[in-house]
Amino acid sequence: MLRTAILVAVLSCASGAAADGFRTFTGHGGPVKSITLSGDGGMLLTTSFDNSVGVWSVEGDGGPAFWLEGHEAAVNVVIPLPLGRAASGGDDYRVIIWDVTGQSTLHRLEGHKGKVMGLAASENGARLASASWDGTVRVWDTETGAMLAELTDHDGPVNAVIWSGDGTRLYSAGFDGTILEWEADGYTLHRRLASHGFGVNVLALNEDAGWLAYGALDGGTRALDLATGDEVADLTAGRRPILAMAQSPDGGRIAVGDGEGYIMVVETDGWGIDHDFRAALNGPIWALAFTGNGSGVIAGGIDNEAYLWPLDGTDSAPRMAEIRREFHVEPGAVPNGERQFLRKCSICHTLGADGERRAGPALEGLFGRKAGTVPEYAYSDAILATDIIWNEDTIDALFDIGPDHYIPGTKMPMQRIVKPEDRADLIDFLRRETQPSTE
């Protein structure tokens, strides 16, 4: 369990709001991908596109956050483990087990060949399951870091995993639209619990009440009877995709976040909608968690902050992303080179050496610089091994065929700029805007 008395981690509050009011968690340098609370509800763990895990005190007030650094790409998921530990998974294909109280890495779990999107710990924290876009679920020993099993029955990327309360069953869901139930003794497939027509992204489980809920790519949101697999509730609201789902500490409610920025809170006794509000005006809800007492929800999305809403004040509380993010800029609003930078580069990079937390190094002095040489930035091995000098030709080639092909093994996102004229405009913009400061 993470304990406030041990961890030096604090919350940056909005306007000094009280603990039960609207608040923001500010400090990440990229969109927030995952949110979870410690077992006692006192500590908040967040992950971000900025490659970091943030640790916060829910009751804190001011000061810097405490960061766990070790991933080499966006971190998609984090969960707490017993004994002051946590586990995280990311776009670098890694799972890391952290000693949070000691601010150190215990194990780097290697083996996945795709992004790690979901993690779940067994009832005592001894086993960790990871879901990956390589099409597998892997089970690990959290004490030794050894892999115990590799489950391969999904036909495509796997998004989510969750353990039964007694650790005898494991559930997984993926792009193939199936929810599979596994016997943990021998890790054999027990049954296909559901076959949805579109990919399943998120899961929530309440064994005491006998249901499993899921959210899918097409917006489908349903609850199933665990014993029979029959549908007990259809919560589909016509918004898609479903990207986040969280269960309240008492199991009485689930929160659902979608790609259109809405959060729907459902009472699981009768499956009635308790709240349904638009939390983000521009962008998706990627991450959700209930507060420790269940009176509020914490959400993350395209903004660099996480937000806490008291559920009795969702009508009047501020919204995420009230100002349109700069990378949403419309054609013609700014010169084309700047637009290409905002759309393709601005989440990861700043133009100057301003010290902001970002997933990529600052671009000041880019032209003529050898790749992998910005001080204090943790580059991938692929970048460190290259002899590339950044200039018009190399930047053009990077976006012509994509970073993953131009520098295999890089942690740069897979993206291309197809039109030569767009690449030329970006290069002109970068040449002008990344000149070293003369001050």
Side-chain angles (χ1 to χ4, degrees), residues 97 107-110 140-147:
I97 297 179
H107 301 291
R108 292 178 181 271
L109 309 182
E110 309 280 357
W140 313 84
D141 184 309
T142 61
E143 180 65 28
T144 66
M147 190 178 74

Side-chain angles (χ1 to χ4, degrees), residues 243-263:
L243 300 172
M245 185 175 285
Q247 186 175 179
S248 64
D250 65 1
R253 289 182 290 188
I254 60 170
V256 181
D258 61 52
E260 299 178 36
Y262 285 84
I263 297 175

Side-chain angles (χ1 to χ4, degrees), residues 27-35 45-54 56 67 71 73-78 89-91 286 301-305 347 357-359:
H28 275 299
V32 175
K33 303 296 296 294
S34 173
I35 298 171
L45 300 174
T46 60
T47 72
S48 170
F49 201 82
D50 68 4
N51 305 356
S52 301
V53 177
W56 319 77
W67 305 104
H71 283 281
V75 191
N76 298 314
V77 59
V78 63
D91 279 7
W286 274 325
I302 204 70
D303 274 5
N304 295 353
E305 294 84 23
I347 288 183
R357 297 179 59 81
R358 292 295 178 99

Side-chain angles (χ1 to χ4, degrees), residues 366-373 379-391 393-395 398 406-408 410:
L366 176 65
F367 283 77
R369 187 173 78 202
K370 184 179 183 297
T373 57
Y379 287 97
S380 65
D381 292 341
I383 288 286
L384 293 175
T386 187
D387 292 325
I388 291 172
I389 303 295
W390 294 120
N391 55 38
D393 293 335
T394 55
I395 295 172
L398 178 76
Y406 189 60
I407 311 172
T410 181

Side-chain angles (χ1 to χ4, degrees), residues 108-335:
R108 292 178 181 271
L109 309 182
E110 309 280 357
H112 279 301
K113 296 178 176 62
K115 299 179 181 183
V116 178
M117 302 300 294
L119 293 172
S122 63
E123 78 288 356
N124 59 3
R127 291 169 296 169
L128 178 71
S130 56
S132 171
W133 279 10
D134 65 5
T136 72
V137 174
R138 294 177 185 240
V139 183
W140 313 84
D141 184 309
T142 61
E143 180 65 28
T144 66
M147 190 178 74
L148 303 176
E150 180 180 10
L151 313 180
T152 59
D153 283 44
H154 279 285
D155 183 17
V158 190
N159 291 319
V161 284
I162 193 165
W163 288 91
S164 64
D166 60 7
T168 63
R169 293 281 196 276
L170 180 67
Y171 300 87
S172 60
F175 276 19
D176 60 3
T178 67
I179 301 173
L180 303 183
E181 180 180 341
W182 307 85
E183 298 272 4
D185 183 10
Y187 299 105
T188 56
L189 182 62
H190 177 67
R191 61 171 169 163
R192 179 175 282 103
L193 182 64
S195 294
H196 190 79
F198 293 82
V200 177
N201 292 329
V202 289
L203 298 172
L205 174 67
N206 189 323
E207 287 180 288
D208 291 339
W211 56 259
L212 180 145
Y214 71 87
L217 188 66
D218 66 338
T221 311
R222 296 185 173 90
L224 307 177
D225 184 294
L226 269 180
T228 65
D230 294 338
E231 181 181 299
V232 297
D234 187 346
L235 307 170
T236 303
R239 300 186 291 257
R240 58 186 182 182
I242 304 303
L243 300 172
M245 185 175 285
Q247 186 175 179
S248 64
D250 65 1
R253 289 182 290 188
I254 60 170
V256 181
D258 61 52
E260 299 178 36
Y262 285 84
I263 297 175
M264 179 174 63
V265 180
V266 177
E267 298 280 356
T268 59
D269 183 10
W271 299 103
I273 297 175
D274 190 26
H275 299 276
D276 190 21
F277 67 104
R278 193 166 194 181
L281 299 185
N282 296 289
I285 301 297
W286 274 325
L288 279 175
F290 279 89
T291 56
N293 61 9
S295 66
V297 290
I298 307 170
I302 204 70
D303 274 5
N304 295 353
E305 294 84 23
Y307 296 73
L308 187 159
W309 282 275
L311 288 177
D312 60 358
T314 56
D315 292 335
S316 60
R319 299 291 181 253
M320 300 163 60
E322 289 187 333
I323 299 175
R324 199 168 177 84
R325 287 299 298 266
E326 57 187 9
F327 45 78
H328 288 140
V329 65
E330 300 294 338
V334 297

